[in-house]
Amino acid sequence: MSSSKRQSILPRVQSGPKAPVNFSSSIIIADSALLTGNHTINISSESVVHPRAKLDSSNGRITIGRRCIIHERTSIGAASADPKPSESRDGVVISDYATIEVGAVLESGGTLIGEGCLVGVGCRVGKGAKLGKHCTLTPHSIIRPGEIIPDFTVVYSNGTRRTDKRGVSDLKNKAQARQIEVLRRLIPSNPAKFQ
């Protein structure tokens, strides 16, 4: 008799030590999210962590602000290929209202994602990079280690950049709050599993 549940063809992800966590009571975190590492993982109120998102605090503390959305198969706190040690104790800081989309990688080591940023599908943000407020990285963009991106910059995957002058940051924040309310009903949350 065969099982009706689909089996993944991907190999099982190796998990490290259980990370110390500090969660707000209003977060939404899926059972199948993977939180590992030695440093603290802080997640602020009304943020969402999708299934199969990986938060690895082995290389530094991870801080996620209010009303952020971390999509599936993201890797936050990934080890950098750059062998130089980081000057920051923070691994990754994600400010309020940021969205990290599917398959994005944020390397650990003083990396800062500004308020209202959108990190697109499959993007890679290098160690120590700093994104200003309301930046947009289009799918498969790469931000080099230590690079500083000014506020309201749109970065395209071919390296072209422009300044976003639409002035829609308040509308984006309201839309993000509405999306979180929908996700609250769709994603079964179990924060107690990680504490």
Side-chain angles (χ1 to χ4, degrees):
M1 179 136 204
S2 66
S3 171
S4 62
K5 185 175 178 184
R6 287 180 31 186
Q7 299 297 318
S8 175
I9 60 170
L10 297 174
R12 207 170 253 284
V13 176
Q14 296 295 322
S15 62
K18 186 175 179 180
V21 296
N22 182 13
F23 291 159
S24 166
S25 60
S26 62
I27 69 161
I28 304 157
I29 184 165
D31 274 345
S32 57
L34 183 62
L35 279 62
T36 62
N38 307 321
H39 299 279
T40 305
I41 297 175
N42 299 303
I43 304 178
S44 298
S45 63
E46 298 182 55
S47 288
V48 178
V49 179
H50 278 260
R52 293 187 297 281
K54 181 178 182 184
L55 282 66
D56 183 0
S57 66
S58 298
N59 302 305
R61 180 175 51 217
I62 295 174
T63 303
I64 299 174
R66 289 183 58 244
R67 291 188 173 166
C68 292
I69 300 175
I70 311 299
H71 286 271
E72 53 274 343
R73 295 192 331 260
T74 56
S75 180
I76 297 178
S80 173
D82 185 7
K84 290 188 299 186
S86 173
E87 296 148 14
S88 173
R89 289 190 55 224
D90 284 325
V92 177
V93 175
I94 301 173
S95 301
D96 299 346
Y97 290 96
T99 300
I100 314 299
E101 291 190 338
V102 177
V105 176
L106 306 181
E107 293 180 358
S108 186
T111 305
L112 173 66
I113 307 299
E115 179 183 337
C117 284
L118 171 66
V119 178
V121 174
C123 287
R124 184 170 199 93
V125 178
K127 168 177 138 180
K130 299 193 180 342
L131 273 62
K133 293 180 180 181
H134 302 286
C135 290
T136 301
L137 305 183
T138 63
H140 303 290
S141 297
I142 296 175
I143 303 299
R144 292 184 312 276
E147 193 170 354
I148 297 173
I149 307 296
D151 294 351
F152 299 99
T153 300
V154 179
V155 178
Y156 296 96
S157 59
N158 64 3
T160 318
R161 296 172 186 203
R162 72 171 176 85
T163 302
D164 186 355
K165 298 177 183 173
R166 296 177 296 167
V168 295
S169 54
D170 288 338
L171 290 174
K172 285 171 58 177
N173 289 351
K174 289 177 184 175
Q176 180 103 332
R178 285 194 304 269
Q179 183 178 5
I180 289 170
E181 286 308 311
V182 170
L183 292 172
R184 184 176 304 286
R185 293 189 295 265
L186 295 176
I187 297 175
S189 182
N190 185 11
K193 171 187 174 185
F194 301 100
Q195 295 180 340

Short mmCIF file of all heavy atoms in Angstrom, two decimals, residues 32-75:
data_model
loop_
_atom_site.label_atom_id
_atom_site.label_comp_id
_atom_site.label_asym_id
_atom_site.label_seq_id
_atom_site.Cartn_x
_atom_site.Cartn_y
_atom_site.Cartn_z
N SER A 32 7.86 23.72 9.64
CA SER A 32 8.98 23.21 8.85
C SER A 32 10.07 24.25 8.58
O SER A 32 10.97 24.00 7.79
CB SER A 32 8.46 22.62 7.54
OG SER A 32 7.74 23.59 6.83
N ALA A 33 9.99 25.41 9.23
CA ALA A 33 11.10 26.37 9.15
C ALA A 33 12.28 25.77 9.91
O ALA A 33 12.10 24.99 10.85
CB ALA A 33 10.70 27.70 9.75
N LEU A 34 13.49 26.11 9.49
CA LEU A 34 14.69 25.54 10.10
C LEU A 34 15.49 26.66 10.77
O LEU A 34 15.98 27.56 10.09
CB LEU A 34 15.53 24.85 9.02
CG LEU A 34 16.79 24.14 9.47
CD1 LEU A 34 16.42 22.99 10.43
CD2 LEU A 34 17.52 23.58 8.27
N LEU A 35 15.59 26.61 12.10
CA LEU A 35 16.32 27.60 12.88
C LEU A 35 17.48 26.90 13.57
O LEU A 35 17.25 26.04 14.43
CB LEU A 35 15.42 28.26 13.92
CG LEU A 35 14.50 29.39 13.45
CD1 LEU A 35 13.51 28.92 12.42
CD2 LEU A 35 13.81 30.03 14.61
N THR A 36 18.71 27.23 13.17
CA THR A 36 19.88 26.60 13.77
C THR A 36 20.90 27.67 14.13
O THR A 36 20.81 28.81 13.68
CB THR A 36 20.54 25.61 12.78
OG1 THR A 36 20.98 26.33 11.63
CG2 THR A 36 19.58 24.52 12.37
N GLY A 37 21.91 27.28 14.91
CA GLY A 37 23.01 28.17 15.22
C GLY A 37 23.24 28.36 16.70
O GLY A 37 22.55 27.78 17.53
N ASN A 38 24.23 29.18 17.01
CA ASN A 38 24.65 29.41 18.40
C ASN A 38 24.24 30.77 18.92
O ASN A 38 24.17 30.98 20.11
CB ASN A 38 26.18 29.31 18.50
CG ASN A 38 26.68 28.01 17.91
OD1 ASN A 38 26.06 26.98 18.06
ND2 ASN A 38 27.79 28.08 17.20
N HIS A 39 23.99 31.72 18.02
CA HIS A 39 23.62 33.08 18.41
C HIS A 39 22.10 33.22 18.43
O HIS A 39 21.38 32.42 17.83
CB HIS A 39 24.23 34.09 17.45
CG HIS A 39 25.73 34.05 17.42
ND1 HIS A 39 26.52 34.66 18.36
CD2 HIS A 39 26.58 33.45 16.56
CE1 HIS A 39 27.78 34.45 18.09
NE2 HIS A 39 27.85 33.71 16.99
N THR A 40 21.61 34.27 19.05
CA THR A 40 20.17 34.48 19.20
C THR A 40 19.51 34.87 17.88
O THR A 40 20.07 35.62 17.09
CB THR A 40 19.91 35.60 20.22
OG1 THR A 40 20.57 35.27 21.44
CG2 THR A 40 18.43 35.77 20.49
N ILE A 41 18.30 34.35 17.67
CA ILE A 41 17.46 34.75 16.55
C ILE A 41 16.28 35.52 17.15
O ILE A 41 15.51 34.97 17.93
CB ILE A 41 16.96 33.53 15.75
CG1 ILE A 41 18.15 32.79 15.12
CG2 ILE A 41 15.95 33.96 14.69
CD1 ILE A 41 17.78 31.50 14.42
N ASN A 42 16.18 36.81 16.81
CA ASN A 42 15.10 37.69 17.31
C ASN A 42 14.11 37.94 16.19
O ASN A 42 14.52 38.38 15.11
CB ASN A 42 15.67 39.03 17.78
CG ASN A 42 16.66 38.89 18.89
OD1 ASN A 42 16.35 38.33 19.93
ND2 ASN A 42 17.87 39.37 18.68
N ILE A 43 12.84 37.68 16.44
CA ILE A 43 11.80 37.97 15.44
C ILE A 43 10.74 38.83 16.11
O ILE A 43 10.13 38.44 17.09
CB ILE A 43 11.19 36.67 14.87
CG1 ILE A 43 12.29 35.78 14.28
CG2 ILE A 43 10.14 37.02 13.81
CD1 ILE A 43 11.79 34.45 13.73
N SER A 44 10.52 40.02 15.53
CA SER A 44 9.59 40.99 16.11
C SER A 44 8.14 40.71 15.71
O SER A 44 7.86 39.85 14.89
CB SER A 44 9.99 42.41 15.68
OG SER A 44 11.26 42.72 16.17
N SER A 45 7.23 41.52 16.24
CA SER A 45 5.80 41.29 16.13
C SER A 45 5.28 41.27 14.70
O SER A 45 5.75 42.02 13.85
CB SER A 45 5.04 42.33 16.94
OG SER A 45 5.27 43.61 16.42
N GLU A 46 4.33 40.39 14.48
CA GLU A 46 3.58 40.25 13.23
C GLU A 46 4.43 39.88 12.02
O GLU A 46 4.03 40.10 10.89
CB GLU A 46 2.77 41.52 12.94
CG GLU A 46 1.75 41.82 14.01
CD GLU A 46 0.93 43.05 13.68
OE1 GLU A 46 0.34 43.08 12.59
OE2 GLU A 46 0.89 43.96 14.52
N SER A 47 5.61 39.32 12.24
CA SER A 47 6.43 38.86 11.12
C SER A 47 6.05 37.43 10.77
O SER A 47 5.51 36.70 11.60
CB SER A 47 7.92 38.94 11.46
OG SER A 47 8.32 40.29 11.48
N VAL A 48 6.35 37.03 9.52
CA VAL A 48 5.96 35.71 9.02
C VAL A 48 7.20 34.98 8.52
O VAL A 48 7.99 35.54 7.75
CB VAL A 48 4.95 35.84 7.86
CG1 VAL A 48 4.59 34.48 7.30
CG2 VAL A 48 3.71 36.58 8.31
N VAL A 49 7.37 33.72 8.94
CA VAL A 49 8.44 32.87 8.42
C VAL A 49 7.75 31.66 7.78
O VAL A 49 7.09 30.87 8.44
CB VAL A 49 9.42 32.42 9.53
CG1 VAL A 49 10.50 31.52 8.96
CG2 VAL A 49 10.03 33.64 10.21
N HIS A 50 7.92 31.54 6.47
CA HIS A 50 7.27 30.49 5.69
C HIS A 50 7.92 29.13 5.92
O HIS A 50 9.04 29.04 6.43
CB HIS A 50 7.37 30.83 4.19
CG HIS A 50 6.35 31.80 3.72
ND1 HIS A 50 5.21 31.41 3.06
CD2 HIS A 50 6.28 33.15 3.80
CE1 HIS A 50 4.48 32.47 2.75
NE2 HIS A 50 5.12 33.55 3.19
N PRO A 51 7.25 28.05 5.46
CA PRO A 51 7.85 26.71 5.55
C PRO A 51 9.17 26.65 4.79
O PRO A 51 9.35 27.31 3.77
CB PRO A 51 6.81 25.80 4.89
CG PRO A 51 5.54 26.57 4.95
CD PRO A 51 5.91 28.02 4.90
N ARG A 52 10.08 25.86 5.30
CA ARG A 52 11.38 25.56 4.70
C ARG A 52 12.31 26.77 4.58
O ARG A 52 13.28 26.73 3.84
CB ARG A 52 11.23 24.85 3.35
CG ARG A 52 10.65 23.46 3.49
CD ARG A 52 10.65 22.70 2.19
NE ARG A 52 9.84 23.28 1.15
CZ ARG A 52 8.53 23.19 1.05
NH1 ARG A 52 7.85 22.53 1.96
NH2 ARG A 52 7.88 23.75 0.05
N ALA A 53 12.01 27.85 5.28
CA ALA A 53 12.96 28.97 5.36
C ALA A 53 14.05 28.57 6.35
O ALA A 53 13.77 27.92 7.36
CB ALA A 53 12.25 30.23 5.85
N LYS A 54 15.30 28.92 6.04
CA LYS A 54 16.41 28.54 6.91
C LYS A 54 17.03 29.79 7.51
O LYS A 54 17.50 30.67 6.79
CB LYS A 54 17.47 27.77 6.12
CG LYS A 54 18.63 27.32 6.98
CD LYS A 54 19.64 26.52 6.20
CE LYS A 54 20.75 26.07 7.12
NZ LYS A 54 21.80 25.37 6.39
N LEU A 55 17.03 29.85 8.84
CA LEU A 55 17.67 30.93 9.58
C LEU A 55 18.83 30.32 10.36
O LEU A 55 18.61 29.52 11.27
CB LEU A 55 16.69 31.61 10.54
CG LEU A 55 15.69 32.60 9.93
CD1 LEU A 55 14.70 31.91 9.01
CD2 LEU A 55 14.97 33.35 11.00
N ASP A 56 20.06 30.65 9.98
CA ASP A 56 21.25 30.05 10.57
C ASP A 56 22.06 31.11 11.30
O ASP A 56 22.68 31.97 10.68
CB ASP A 56 22.09 29.40 9.46
CG ASP A 56 23.31 28.67 10.00
OD1 ASP A 56 23.52 28.65 11.24
OD2 ASP A 56 24.06 28.10 9.19
N SER A 57 22.06 31.04 12.64
CA SER A 57 22.77 32.03 13.44
C SER A 57 24.15 31.55 13.86
O SER A 57 24.72 32.05 14.83
CB SER A 57 21.93 32.41 14.66
OG SER A 57 21.81 31.31 15.53
N SER A 58 24.73 30.61 13.14
CA SER A 58 26.08 30.11 13.47
C SER A 58 27.13 31.20 13.33
O SER A 58 28.14 31.17 14.03
CB SER A 58 26.44 28.95 12.55
OG SER A 58 25.55 27.89 12.72
N ASN A 59 26.93 32.14 12.40
CA ASN A 59 27.94 33.16 12.12
C ASN A 59 27.58 34.53 12.67
O ASN A 59 28.22 35.51 12.31
CB ASN A 59 28.14 33.26 10.61
CG ASN A 59 28.57 31.93 10.03
OD1 ASN A 59 29.55 31.36 10.46
ND2 ASN A 59 27.82 31.43 9.06
N GLY A 60 26.55 34.62 13.48
CA GLY A 60 26.16 35.90 14.07
C GLY A 60 24.67 35.97 14.34
O GLY A 60 23.89 35.19 13.80
N ARG A 61 24.29 36.91 15.18
CA ARG A 61 22.90 37.09 15.58
C ARG A 61 22.03 37.48 14.38
O ARG A 61 22.47 38.21 13.49
CB ARG A 61 22.86 38.18 16.65
CG ARG A 61 21.53 38.51 17.20
CD ARG A 61 21.63 39.51 18.33
NE ARG A 61 22.43 40.66 17.96
CZ ARG A 61 23.25 41.29 18.79
NH1 ARG A 61 23.40 40.88 20.01
NH2 ARG A 61 23.93 42.33 18.38
N ILE A 62 20.78 37.02 14.36
CA ILE A 62 19.81 37.39 13.32
C ILE A 62 18.68 38.16 13.99
O ILE A 62 18.10 37.70 14.96
CB ILE A 62 19.26 36.14 12.60
CG1 ILE A 62 20.38 35.42 11.85
CG2 ILE A 62 18.11 36.51 11.66
CD1 ILE A 62 19.96 34.11 11.22
N THR A 63 18.39 39.34 13.44
CA THR A 63 17.30 40.17 13.96
C THR A 63 16.35 40.50 12.82
O THR A 63 16.76 41.03 11.80
CB THR A 63 17.85 41.48 14.57
OG1 THR A 63 18.81 41.15 15.58
CG2 THR A 63 16.74 42.31 15.16
N ILE A 64 15.08 40.16 13.01
CA ILE A 64 14.04 40.42 12.01
C ILE A 64 13.04 41.39 12.62
O ILE A 64 12.51 41.13 13.69
CB ILE A 64 13.36 39.11 11.57
CG1 ILE A 64 14.40 38.16 10.93
CG2 ILE A 64 12.21 39.39 10.61
CD1 ILE A 64 13.88 36.79 10.59
N GLY A 65 12.79 42.49 11.93
CA GLY A 65 11.92 43.55 12.43
C GLY A 65 10.44 43.23 12.35
O GLY A 65 10.03 42.11 12.04
N ARG A 66 9.62 44.25 12.60
CA ARG A 66 8.16 44.11 12.60
C ARG A 66 7.63 43.94 11.17
O ARG A 66 8.10 44.57 10.24
CB ARG A 66 7.51 45.38 13.17
CG ARG A 66 7.69 45.55 14.64
CD ARG A 66 6.96 46.79 15.17
NE ARG A 66 5.54 46.73 14.88
CZ ARG A 66 4.92 47.60 14.09
NH1 ARG A 66 5.56 48.58 13.52
NH2 ARG A 66 3.61 47.48 13.88
N ARG A 67 6.60 43.10 11.06
CA ARG A 67 5.85 42.91 9.82
C ARG A 67 6.73 42.58 8.61
O ARG A 67 6.52 43.10 7.52
CB ARG A 67 4.96 44.12 9.53
CG ARG A 67 3.84 44.25 10.53
CD ARG A 67 2.88 45.32 10.14
NE ARG A 67 1.71 45.29 11.04
CZ ARG A 67 0.83 46.26 11.14
NH1 ARG A 67 0.94 47.33 10.38
NH2 ARG A 67 -0.19 46.15 11.96
N CYS A 68 7.69 41.70 8.82
CA CYS A 68 8.53 41.21 7.73
C CYS A 68 7.96 39.88 7.24
O CYS A 68 7.30 39.16 7.99
CB CYS A 68 9.96 40.99 8.21
SG CYS A 68 10.81 42.52 8.61
N ILE A 69 8.23 39.57 5.97
CA ILE A 69 7.82 38.29 5.41
C ILE A 69 9.06 37.59 4.87
O ILE A 69 9.75 38.13 4.00
CB ILE A 69 6.76 38.46 4.30
CG1 ILE A 69 5.51 39.16 4.85
CG2 ILE A 69 6.40 37.10 3.70
CD1 ILE A 69 4.47 39.47 3.81
N ILE A 70 9.34 36.40 5.40
CA ILE A 70 10.47 35.58 4.97
C ILE A 70 9.88 34.38 4.24
O ILE A 70 9.24 33.53 4.85
CB ILE A 70 11.31 35.11 6.18
CG1 ILE A 70 11.65 36.27 7.13
CG2 ILE A 70 12.55 34.36 5.71
CD1 ILE A 70 12.45 37.38 6.51
N HIS A 71 10.07 34.32 2.93
CA HIS A 71 9.45 33.28 2.11
C HIS A 71 10.20 31.95 2.20
O HIS A 71 11.28 31.88 2.78
CB HIS A 71 9.38 33.74 0.64
CG HIS A 71 8.32 34.76 0.41
ND1 HIS A 71 7.02 34.43 0.08
CD2 HIS A 71 8.34 36.12 0.48
CE1 HIS A 71 6.30 35.53 -0.06
NE2 HIS A 71 7.08 36.57 0.18
N GLU A 72 9.61 30.92 1.58
CA GLU A 72 10.18 29.58 1.64
C GLU A 72 11.52 29.50 0.88
O GLU A 72 11.77 30.27 -0.03
CB GLU A 72 9.21 28.52 1.09
CG GLU A 72 8.66 28.78 -0.27
CD GLU A 72 7.42 29.66 -0.26
OE1 GLU A 72 6.78 29.83 0.78
OE2 GLU A 72 7.11 30.19 -1.34
N ARG A 73 12.35 28.57 1.36
CA ARG A 73 13.66 28.27 0.78
C ARG A 73 14.62 29.45 0.80
O ARG A 73 15.59 29.47 0.04
CB ARG A 73 13.53 27.68 -0.63
CG ARG A 73 12.85 26.35 -0.66
CD ARG A 73 12.96 25.62 -1.99
NE ARG A 73 13.08 26.44 -3.16
CZ ARG A 73 12.09 26.75 -3.98
NH1 ARG A 73 10.89 26.30 -3.76
NH2 ARG A 73 12.31 27.50 -5.04
N THR A 74 14.38 30.45 1.66
CA THR A 74 15.37 31.51 1.83
C THR A 74 16.44 31.01 2.78
O THR A 74 16.20 30.11 3.58
CB THR A 74 14.74 32.79 2.42
OG1 THR A 74 14.11 32.45 3.64
CG2 THR A 74 13.75 33.42 1.49
N SER A 75 17.61 31.59 2.69
CA SER A 75 18.70 31.25 3.60
C SER A 75 19.21 32.55 4.20
O SER A 75 19.85 33.34 3.52
CB SER A 75 19.81 30.52 2.83
OG SER A 75 20.85 30.21 3.72
#
